[in-house]
């Protein structure tokens, strides 16, 4: 039996903020609901986050016009404060996020296993758009 490794996709941004703020904005539900969407016609009306190894998270993502929505969730495998988060999504795919403290700025690198029903380029563009929203929200607040 042949098993294929999933395609790994990476998105990243350098946020003009110290790692403590970046970590807080990335992990606190009140902030997650403000930045976690890929475009202006989507929003995240609800987020839950039990940030510990074995803890679960869930973000509700919906089109603003109510036409569609889905829950995005998983279980944490790695939580190293201000350094790294790793989790497994409900469909078994892995995500790893690294926070690189660069003084007054923080580099966030997110690598995820691509799913097979959409082109990799489409997935990378969507995840990068969310990362870009995170950067803008964190720098402006």
């Amino acid at each position: 039996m042949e098993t294929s490794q999933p395609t790994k996709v990476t998105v990243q941004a350098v946020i003009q903020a110290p790692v403590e703020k970046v970590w807080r904005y990335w992990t606190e539900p009140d902030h997650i609901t403000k930045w976690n969407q890929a475009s202006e016609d989507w929003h995240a009306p609800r987020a839950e986050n039990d940030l510990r190894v074995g803890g679960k998270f869930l973000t509700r993502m919906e089109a603003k016009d109510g036409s569609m929505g889905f829950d995005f969730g998983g279980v944490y495998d790695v939580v190293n404060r201000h350094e790294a988060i790793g989790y497994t999504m409900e469909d078994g795919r892995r995500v790893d996020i690294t926070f690189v403290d660069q003084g007054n700025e923080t580099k966030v690198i997110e690598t995820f296993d691509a799913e097979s029903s959409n082109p990799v380029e489409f997935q990378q563009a969507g995840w990068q758009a969310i990362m870009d929203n995170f950067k803008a929200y964190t720098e402006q607040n």
Side-chain angles (χ1 to χ4, degrees), residues 57-121:
F57 71 91
L58 182 124
T59 302
R60 179 68 186 168
M61 303 174 104
E62 294 180 354
K64 288 182 179 176
D65 67 6
S67 63
M68 63 175 53
F70 62 94
D71 290 337
F72 179 84
V75 176
Y76 291 110
D77 306 305
V78 175
V79 178
N80 294 330
R81 186 175 171 83
H82 299 164
E83 294 177 5
I85 294 173
Y87 62 85
T88 302
M89 290 184 264
E90 292 173 342
D91 64 5
R93 292 183 295 136
R94 291 265 320 136
V95 178
D96 292 293
I97 306 127
T98 304
F99 299 82
V100 182
D101 183 350
Q102 299 176 329
N104 287 330
E105 63 183 28
T106 305
K107 185 173 192 176
V108 180
I109 306 161
E110 184 173 30
T111 302
F112 65 95
D113 293 343
E115 43 93 356
S116 57
S117 57
N118 290 293
V120 169
E121 298 77 18

Side-chain angles (χ1 to χ4, degrees), residues 31-45:
H31 292 296
I32 294 168
T33 59
K34 308 280 193 316
W35 60 262
N36 201 353
Q37 62 273 336
S39 64
E40 287 296 316
D41 51 344
W42 280 75
H43 68 144

Side-chain angles (χ1 to χ4, degrees), residues 7-70:
T7 299
K8 301 266 185 206
V9 181
T10 299
V11 298
Q12 61 186 325
V14 175
I15 292 89
Q16 302 303 309
V19 71
E20 294 83 6
K21 178 181 180 182
V22 170
W23 181 270
R24 193 171 66 249
Y25 279 38
W26 188 273
T27 61
E28 292 179 1
D30 287 348
H31 292 296
I32 294 168
T33 59
K34 308 280 193 316
W35 60 262
N36 201 353
Q37 62 273 336
S39 64
E40 287 296 316
D41 51 344
W42 280 75
H43 68 144
R46 182 172 43 89
E48 301 167 13
N49 197 16
D50 182 9
L51 187 62
R52 61 182 176 83
V53 172
K56 294 181 180 182
F57 71 91
L58 182 124
T59 302
R60 179 68 186 168
M61 303 174 104
E62 294 180 354
K64 288 182 179 176
D65 67 6
S67 63
M68 63 175 53
F70 62 94

